[in-house]
């Protein structure tokens, strides 16, 4: 693979990950908004995890979208954080009726982060 092809692939993978983070952030924010703020303890957990996941995914997307030179170590830390938060959130959503699509978006984002980390040195 030529250096130009490697760069193109890197940017394409980076965009795919950012897009997945955006989808997850949207799904988590929507799920969190559908839960009663003063509801039972289980609903409060869904709301808190959804908000946290939306914020982490949004921050990860912004980091991936920046054109400034990012160091790979910092990028890896953010991607690992995003992956871990997404998986935690998906587990919580699994136990909440009607949240299966949101759980799926979280798992897809976690996988996109994992896949993109594999392209980093």
């Amino acid at each position: 693979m030529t250096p130009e092809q490697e760069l193109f692939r890197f940017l394409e993978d980076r965009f795919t990950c950012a897009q997945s983070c955006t989808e997850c952030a949207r799904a988590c924010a929507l799920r969190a908004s559908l839960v009663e703020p003063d509801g039972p303890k289980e609903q409060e957990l869904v709301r808190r995890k959804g908000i946290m996941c939306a914020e982490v995914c949004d921050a990860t997307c912004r980091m991936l979208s920046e054109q400034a030179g990012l160091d790979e170590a910092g990028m890896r830390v953010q991607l690992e954080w995003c992956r871990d938060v997404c998986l935690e959130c998906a587990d919580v959503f699994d136990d909440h009726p009607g949240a299966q699509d949101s759980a799926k978006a979280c798992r897809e984002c976690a996988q996109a982060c994992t896949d993109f980390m594999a392209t980093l040195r």
Side-chain angles (χ1 to χ4, degrees):
M1 195 179 278
T2 68
E4 291 83 18
Q5 289 172 321
E6 285 180 24
L7 177 61
F8 180 75
R9 177 63 189 250
F10 175 80
L11 293 174
E12 188 176 67
D13 291 346
R14 186 170 160 172
F15 175 77
T16 299
C17 187
Q19 188 174 25
S20 185
C21 287
T22 298
E23 287 300 313
C24 185
R26 185 195 58 74
C28 288
L30 177 61
R31 177 57 43 202
S33 74
L34 296 174
V35 177
E36 291 287 328
D38 296 322
K41 189 175 183 177
E42 304 81 35
Q43 287 189 1
E44 179 58 25
L45 180 62
V46 168
R47 191 166 105 44
R48 281 188 296 114
K49 288 291 185 178
I51 290 169
M52 182 177 184
C53 192
E55 290 176 353
V56 170
C57 286
D58 183 57
T60 304
C61 179
R62 280 186 277 119
M63 180 223 27
L64 292 169
S65 300
E66 291 176 359
Q67 294 302 319
L70 299 170
D71 70 354
E72 287 190 6
M75 194 180 296
R76 183 176 298 282
V77 167
Q78 181 71 32
L79 291 165
E80 287 173 353
W81 184 36
C82 187
R83 179 198 59 210
D84 293 347
V85 168
C86 285
L87 291 175
E88 286 177 22
C89 192
D91 288 344
V92 169
F93 286 172
D94 282 341
D95 296 332
H96 188 73
Q100 292 76 23
D101 289 344
S102 299
K104 182 178 180 227
C106 289
R107 285 194 176 83
E108 288 173 354
C109 183
Q111 186 61 53
C113 288
T114 299
D115 292 347
F116 185 59
M117 280 189 289
T119 69
L120 301 177
R121 297 183 208 328

